[in-house]
């Protein structure tokens, strides 16, 4: 089963890549497993090798890159993308799935869960936990409410996470290659949408809603 499986692991931590590779080869011994430590290398591989599955860390070197999924699908529309993240799936899973992922898996899961996720995403085309499935259904029945994490745009969400990690306007400006005034504008929008007025409250808000 799945003897010809071709998988790309994208993660900036060698230990994570090697660990997942061992798990995969334990269940799919004839699988072809490729790895990339950054998005540039990942795209190069996607351009040259036909893949069945990409196990993707969406946050590399502290910067979330949600657009990478669109870039991947533009090159290989049929490849499945399984987000492999240390984030909790409650708030992050639906966001990533809405932007092109076919499943979400937390890095603190068991080996059996990794194998189960890979099998299901290859068989059914998706891998959703019950909590993510419920949130997808809720989102399809109603628009995201204000004063919630889901009300943030992808860029606002990205900047919010950088603010929580301790980055100031200058650091965010350099990381995202945008003007400091633009960072300030996004910051004000985030605070307004979440009805808060400082980064401490922002951090508390995310903790309470994860």
């Amino acid at each position: 089963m799945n003897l010809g499986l071709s998988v790309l692991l994208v993660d900036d931590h060698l230990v994570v890549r090697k660990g997942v590779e061992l798990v995969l080869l334990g269940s799919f011994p004839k699988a072809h497993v490729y790895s990339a430590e950054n998005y540039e290398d990942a795209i190069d591989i996607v351009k040259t090798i036909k893949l069945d599955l990409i196990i993707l860390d969406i946050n590399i070197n502290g910067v979330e890159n949600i657009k990478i999924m669109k870039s991947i699908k533009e090159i290989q529309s049929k490849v499945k993308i399984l987000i492999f993240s240390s984030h909790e799936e409650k708030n992050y899973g639906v966001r990533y799935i809405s932007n092109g992922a076919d499943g979400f898996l937390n890095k603190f899961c068991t080996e059996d869960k990794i194998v189960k996720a890979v099998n299901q995403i290859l068989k059914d085309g998706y891998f959703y936990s019950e909590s993510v499935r419920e949130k997808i259904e809720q989102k399809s029945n109603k628009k995201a409410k204000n004063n919630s994490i889901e009300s943030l745009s992808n860029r606002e969400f990205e900047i919010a996470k950088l603010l929580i990690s301790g980055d100031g306007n200058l650091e965010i400006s350099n990381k995202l290659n945008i003007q400091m005034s633009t960072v300030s504008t996004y910051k004000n929008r985030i605070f307004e949408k979440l009805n808060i007025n400082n980064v401490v409250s922002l951090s508390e808000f995310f903790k309470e809603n994860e």
Side-chain angles (χ1 to χ4, degrees), residues 136-182:
I136 290 174
E137 291 174 353
Q138 292 171 1
K139 191 169 184 178
S140 66
N141 293 329
K142 63 182 179 179
K143 293 181 179 178
K145 296 180 180 179
N146 287 329
N147 196 30
S148 71
I149 291 177
E150 289 183 1
S151 70
L152 301 178
S153 69
N154 290 333
R155 180 62 99 180
E156 289 165 350
F157 183 82
E158 182 178 26
I159 290 174
K161 292 298 296 180
L162 290 174
L163 288 168
I164 291 170
S165 70
D167 288 337
N169 288 12
L170 178 59
E171 288 84 2
I172 296 174
S173 172
N174 291 332
K175 282 185 177 181
L176 302 183
N177 194 28
I178 58 178
Q179 297 293 324
M180 285 184 62
S181 59
T182 303

